[in-house]
Structure formats: structure tokens, C-alpha cells
Amino acid sequence: MTRVLLVEDSRISRESIERRISEMPDYSIVTSIENAANAEIVCMGEGIDLILMDVCTADDESGLRAAEKIKKLYPHIKIIIMTSMPEYSFIEKARRGGCDSFWYKEYGSIDLIDICRRTMNGESVYPEKSPSLKIGLADSSEFTDRELQVIRELVSGNKYSEIAQTLGVKENTVKFHVKSILSKTGYKNAIQLVADVVEKRMVLPKY
């Protein structure tokens, strides 16, 4: 029997996932919790085999950070990161944190049962890329890695000089990237850009 810990703060999503797992006779949800910060405590004494970990959990706790810590303490526990957020950096953060697989709840074609079984069989299942979003006139896939970094810094409220220092480039280079981004999106200024990016959840700095 595969013993599952579900970390999900949305009642609707939690109940839906619980129903799906109940369809698997050889899987059992030991407990469901809302806050990723409590996942480590559950792992101490419940013999958990698999964690289904949402990225954004109760009290703004990051499932990605909790998962990384758990993988260091309990490397044998399989972790599938779940999210409905199209934030572009989540996939890479999950990989860096040692998470075994990654599942988009509302994007892609992989079924939850399929990804659970493949993960428990030793396979690492990840989407090739984050979902494409329409940002102004542009598709999010059109942005370069550096432009995405600049967008993240803009969303964080940083000035051009601060962005330049963080990225290790000249301020004029930052201005060049912003000009390129605005040209692609058709927006007149960075304020319009940031508003759209935040609304569509392409960038979520605190996670």
C-alpha cells in the first residue's frame, strides 16, 4: 500500500484529489493538511511514501520550500509538486529542490493517477515548459530568460538601478530589456506590463 500525504489548502481541489486517489485500491491517503509547513511533522511518524504538494498553501507557506527540506531529510519519500499557477519558474524550482515530478492541475494532459504510478515506479515526470500565456500582444514563450528575470524584478517593485545591481548588468542594459519587452507586448509602460503579469500569475515572487 502506497501511503499518501496530501498538502492542499483549497477544499474543492482537496476533495477532488482525494476522490481520484480513492480510485486506486493500492493507494491510501494517510492525511490531508492545508499548510506545507506541517508536512515535515507528518513525515516524522506516518510512514509516508508519496507527498502530493501544492505550491501555494495556507498562510502563504511555499510547498516548494517545504518539499526541498523534506527531500533532504527523507530522500526516499516521493514528492509530486502540484499547481494551477502558470508561474514560469516553478518547474525549475521544483527540479532544484529534488522533487520527483510536477503536475499542472489545470493544464496539460497528464492524469493524476498516471503521474502517481509513474512517479512511484521511479520515473521523474515533468512538463516540458510552463503554460503559455498571452501578455499584451505577446505570448509568454517569446520572452528571453533575461527578459523574464527583468519582469520578475519589475513585479517585485525594484527600480532600474536596483535591477541592474541584482542582475549584474548596467542600468542601460535593463532599460534595453524593458524596451524590448514593451515592444513585444505593445504596452506603453512597465506599470501596464506588471499589472497584466500579476493578474495572469505569470510571476509570483514570494513562492
Side-chain angles (χ1 to χ4, degrees):
M1 180 67 71
T2 298
R3 296 166 61 84
V4 181
L5 166 61
L6 173 59
V7 185
E8 171 62 72
D9 66 341
S10 165
R11 180 183 60 81
I12 294 175
S13 292
R14 186 169 61 251
E15 291 176 352
S16 175
I17 293 170
E18 288 173 344
R19 282 195 300 271
R20 294 294 285 137
I21 297 300
S22 69
E23 297 172 9
M24 306 165 71
D26 51 342
Y27 280 64
S28 173
I29 293 184
V30 174
T31 188
S32 297
I33 61 176
E34 298 182 359
N35 191 319
N38 296 325
E40 181 185 340
I41 298 172
V42 177
C43 291
M44 289 179 181
E46 295 292 346
I48 300 299
D49 302 302
L50 172 65
I51 300 175
L52 302 178
M53 178 80 79
D54 194 19
V55 172
C56 308
T57 73
D59 301 321
D60 285 333
E61 289 291 341
S62 168
L64 289 165
R65 286 193 289 270
E68 182 175 11
K69 186 175 182 180
I70 289 170
K71 287 300 287 187
K72 290 178 180 177
L73 295 171
Y74 308 99
H76 64 283
I77 296 178
K78 303 289 188 180
I79 300 180
I80 299 173
I81 288 293
M82 313 181 300
T83 188
S84 58
M85 306 283 188
E87 217 279 4
Y88 80 92
S89 71
F90 283 169
I91 293 175
E92 180 58 30
K93 287 179 179 178
R95 288 188 187 277
R96 288 203 310 264
C99 298
D100 299 275
S101 296
F102 191 106
W103 181 59
Y104 280 114
K105 303 174 193 175
E106 299 175 11
Y107 302 93
S109 58
I110 301 178
D111 181 71
L112 177 60
I113 290 178
D114 182 37
I115 196 170
C116 285
R117 293 205 180 281
R118 290 168 64 184
T119 300
M120 292 309 297
N121 285 332
E123 187 177 351
S124 182
V125 185
Y126 272 79
E128 293 183 2
K129 60 182 181 179
S130 58
S132 294
L133 301 172
K134 199 70 175 177
I135 304 297
L137 301 176
D139 187 280
S140 57
S141 62
E142 296 177 39
F143 300 128
T144 66
D145 289 342
R146 181 61 87 184
E147 287 172 347
L148 288 170
Q149 291 174 335
V150 170
I151 291 172
R152 176 174 292 280
E153 294 299 319
L154 290 172
V155 169
S156 298
N158 294 325
K159 300 176 181 178
Y160 289 177
S161 58
E162 295 170 328
I163 296 174
Q165 184 174 4
T166 298
L167 300 183
V169 299
K170 295 181 179 179
E171 187 172 341
N172 282 342
T173 301
V174 174
K175 292 178 180 179
F176 170 81
H177 287 306
V178 172
K179 183 178 180 180
S180 173
I181 295 166
L182 294 179
S183 176
K184 290 178 181 180
T185 59
Y187 287 128
K188 295 180 180 179
N189 55 60
I191 295 176
Q192 292 177 324
L193 169 70
V194 168
D196 195 15
V197 166
V198 171
E199 180 183 359
K200 292 175 180 173
R201 302 180 296 186
M202 191 184 88
V203 174
L204 297 169
K206 64 182 177 180
Y207 296 101

